[in-house]
Amino acid sequence: MTRNTRNATAAALLSLGVALAAAGCAGGSSNGGGSSSSGGGSGGGEVKISFWENATTGPGQDFFVNAAKAYHTLHPNVTINLQTIQNEDMDGKLQTALNSNSAPDIFLQRGGGKMRAMVKAGQLQALTLTDTDKANVGAAALAGDSVDGTIYAMPLDTQPEGIYYSKDLFQKAGITTPPTTVDELEGVITKLKAAGIAPIAVGGKDAWPAAHWYYNFALRECSQAAMTNAAKSLKFDDPCWKKAGDDLAAFLKVDPFQKGFLTTSAQQGAGSSAGLIANHKAAMELMGNWDPGTIASLTPDQKALPDLSWFPFPTVPGGQGDPTAIMGGGGGYSLSKKAPKEAFEFLEFLVTKDQQEAYAKAFVTIPVNPAAQEVVTDPYNISTLQAFNKAAYSMDYLDSEYGQNVGNAMNTAVVSLMAGKGSAADIVKATNDAAARG
């Protein structure tokens, strides 16, 4: 998983009073590592809970502020210190905090290999969900937040990745239907360029958005077994990994991205890749389903882009991956070892129907609670949800699935290829070398 939105702009610190979930919401839990980081206990005295997330602006940040206020109205003895952190800074700051035993009580969880490493290091609490919690979340979402059958994060949404596009710009270029194959995508790119439109926006400066192109080619070229086996062995010897790089290199020959994509940020300002979509300066962007909310925050009126639509990553000929498979994680939150039981009860509150509906509206996303999914009305999210429900399987983002060290090496090597300084074989070598270093 990669979220709770990868969107962010600036860090801020908000100290907010929050309340415990009402008994009917929280369901009563045996979770909790004792007293909070600020010394409060769980016996009715003052309890302070630290919470790190990465929605630093707009409706997403407002959601957490409002949820905190609603909680505080119920139980004013509990205070949540909400700290918003720029997404690209989150992993490094969190790892430093975990290693120094100063981690927040609740924090954004990427999942995959990163979460497995935290579990191995004894840095996370296992979560014991009630039947009500499980009904609110659903088995599919929980599977991505579990290690060997034990749950270590509470998911809030699902994040299928695909290509967001402007229907208006497609129409301007004479494109009537979205592409379903890579060959068709290249044809769309040709038409957009002929119409004077930048085909695809990429925030290459941040590395991971560029690397997601390789991830999705790998999803198409590699079988599910090859990808899951790599997560266990951290060996990338299957020929599909190089083939994915070859596919990306071939795709680059059609010059699909905006000028200066290697120095463009992903989500910060009108000149970012999301900003280019928001202001009709580019037609497409490959991204997880937090993207509509990010785009909306960057339009001139800071409202949703009315012509935004979505299609799944195209198929490639001869690929071993299921053509319906989808890349994507889910937004979840973990508890550090020292977090009190009130921290878990706040997470239980966040997956109740009303909070999930508010979350979905704020982040323009797909909530995990089935009872709240009726609020998904935007055409792009309906398309995304349909594709997700039809997918033979989903695969977490590879920099999460394979852990931070391997993921960073893979991302860097992909950017090098895109810059004309590396090859498909170099991506495989860099990834295997990072895995061998541990």
Side-chain angles (χ1 to χ4, degrees), residues 180-436:
T180 60
T181 68
V182 170
D183 286 344
E184 290 177 0
L185 177 60
E186 292 179 354
V188 164
I189 289 167
T190 299
K191 289 183 178 181
L192 288 165
K193 291 168 70 175
I197 300 167
I200 301 172
V202 176
K205 180 181 179 180
D206 293 324
W208 62 263
H212 279 215
W213 282 90
Y214 176 74
Y215 297 178
N216 279 273
F217 276 118
L219 182 72
R220 294 288 177 253
E221 290 290 0
C222 298
S223 67
Q224 183 182 17
M227 300 191 88
T228 55
N229 288 341
K232 297 176 182 177
S233 67
L234 289 183
K235 293 181 179 179
F236 299 84
D237 299 330
D238 192 292
C240 69
W241 296 106
K242 181 178 179 299
K243 184 67 170 63
D246 290 335
D247 289 347
L248 177 57
F251 184 64
L252 291 171
K253 293 180 180 179
V254 303
D255 193 21
F257 306 133
Q258 86 276 14
K259 292 182 180 179
F261 74 91
L262 289 171
T263 57
T264 299
S265 65
Q267 299 165 331
Q268 301 172 51
S272 66
S273 58
L276 295 176
I277 303 299
N279 294 280
H280 286 133
K281 301 297 184 182
M284 295 178 280
E285 183 178 32
L286 174 66
M287 195 59 66
N289 82 319
W290 60 85
D291 207 28
T294 305
I295 291 170
S297 72
L298 297 171
T299 59
D301 59 2
Q302 292 193 327
K303 295 182 179 179
L305 194 67
D307 67 312
L308 190 66
S309 195
W310 181 93
F311 60 90
F313 194 85
T315 61
V316 301
Q320 298 301 303
D322 190 289
T324 68
I326 202 160
M327 181 68 62
Y333 286 84
S334 287
L335 302 183
S336 63
K337 276 293 186 181
K338 62 181 175 56
K341 71 181 185 66
E342 287 85 355
F344 178 74
E345 290 168 350
F346 181 60
L347 294 183
E348 291 181 296
F349 176 71
L350 293 180
V351 296
T352 57
K353 182 176 183 292
D354 289 349
Q355 289 300 312
Q356 280 277 283
E357 288 178 349
Y359 182 92
K361 292 176 182 177
F363 287 102
V364 199
T365 190
I366 300 171
V368 291
N369 190 326
Q373 289 180 353
E374 62 188 22
V375 302
V376 178
T377 58
D378 296 297
Y380 47 81
N381 268 340
I382 292 174
S383 298
T384 305
L385 183 57
Q386 289 172 344
F388 184 78
N389 289 338
K390 293 178 182 177
Y393 53 88
S394 64
M395 182 61 59
D396 204 350
Y397 302 109
L398 302 190
D399 55 352
S400 293
E401 183 67 19
Y402 300 134
Q404 185 171 349
N405 292 338
V406 172
N408 287 346
M410 181 183 289
N411 292 355
T412 299
V414 171
V415 173
S416 292
L417 182 149
M418 288 185 163
K421 301 178 181 179
S423 67
D426 291 335
I427 295 174
V428 177
K429 183 178 186 303
T431 304
N432 276 318
D433 287 350

